[in-house]
Amino acid sequence: MIDIHSHILPGIDDGAQTMDDSIHIAKAAVEDGIHTMIATPHHKNGKYDNYKQDIIELTAELNHQLHIHNIPLTVLPGQETRIHGDMMEGIRADDILTLNNLGHYVFVEFPSDAVPRYAKQLLFDIQLEGYQPIIVHPERNKQIIQHPDILYNLVSKGAFTQITAASLTGRFGKNVQKFTHQLIEANQAHLIASDAHNTESRGFCMTDAYEEIRENYGESMVYLFAENAEYVVNGENLASDSPSRVKKKKFLGIF
Ligand SMILES: [Fe+2]
């Protein structure tokens, strides 16, 4: 499996704190069936700033350590950028790192409780600049859960989304789990990833999440998610169907 979202790089955010932690996380990833992982440390989230060049260098160092420890995992550079007013300047200044540094996909994180008013325009500007924004874990955003049309409108305008494996397996509660399913059913989820921070409370769950997808939607949906992860790693176009709105009635019945 390919995992496109993780906090495996040591000592630069709230994920792995030391290289030993990183090795430990890498072993857990391999155990869960992951062979390729994009390291996506936080950037501009108010607590952590991690610029492109630093991430690339630390990723190379981690790969060297993985090689020494004989761990069959390849880590690629990436970044989880919190949406901020100066994001376009960051992109133009080459501070923002696209996934696998291919100049194609940019992770965009919203604050956990809201979607800024300028999000729509910014996601549009990112696309005008030639990049594809991927909204990370929208299923955990309070405002999106309450007003799912916010996400529908962004996806309709070309943004992609990445849901969290542990959301599908229930780690973030029943409501988030059900909402995640609704996003899949509405073609508003294009990728699935672990967002792993450690091996305990925020681990991988990728095998279990893919099993949940298989049980609910069959092998073709498993294939779609797996293939899209590969497209991200290769900087190719994602497969997607036209999104539909999350059905409000059903939605209100759940919350
Ligand atoms: Fe993350």
Side-chain angles (χ1 to χ4, degrees), residues 54 78 118 142 144 153:
D54 301 331
Y118 61 85
K142 273 189 195 142
I144 291 175
N153 290 331

Side-chain angles (χ1 to χ4, degrees), residues 139-151:
E139 82 282 1
R140 294 193 261 140
N141 181 285
K142 273 189 195 142
Q143 200 179 349
I144 291 175
I145 292 170
Q146 282 162 6
H147 305 284
D149 271 358
I150 293 173
L151 187 67

Side-chain angles (χ1 to χ4, degrees), residues 5-7 13-14 40-42 80 107 109 136-137 140 162 195-197 202:
H5 185 158
S6 70
H7 297 267
D13 67 4
D14 55 345
T40 51
H42 290 291
E80 178 177 13
F107 264 174
E109 183 196 32
V136 298
H137 44 71
R140 294 193 261 140
Q162 169 256 305
D195 194 6
H197 283 64
R202 298 289 302 277

Side-chain angles (χ1 to χ4, degrees), residues 50-59 94-95 97 101:
N50 286 295
Y51 294 92
K52 177 176 173 176
Q53 211 46 46
D54 301 331
I55 297 169
I56 290 172
E57 283 166 25
L58 195 52
T59 302
D94 210 23
D95 287 337
L97 176 54
N101 196 18

Side-chain angles (χ1 to χ4, degrees), residues 70-89:
N70 248 324
I71 298 169
L73 179 73
T74 303
V75 180
L76 307 169
Q79 186 186 54
E80 178 177 13
T81 308
R82 174 72 62 91
I83 194 165
H84 58 288
D86 299 331
M87 194 164 165
M88 286 313 301
E89 283 72 18

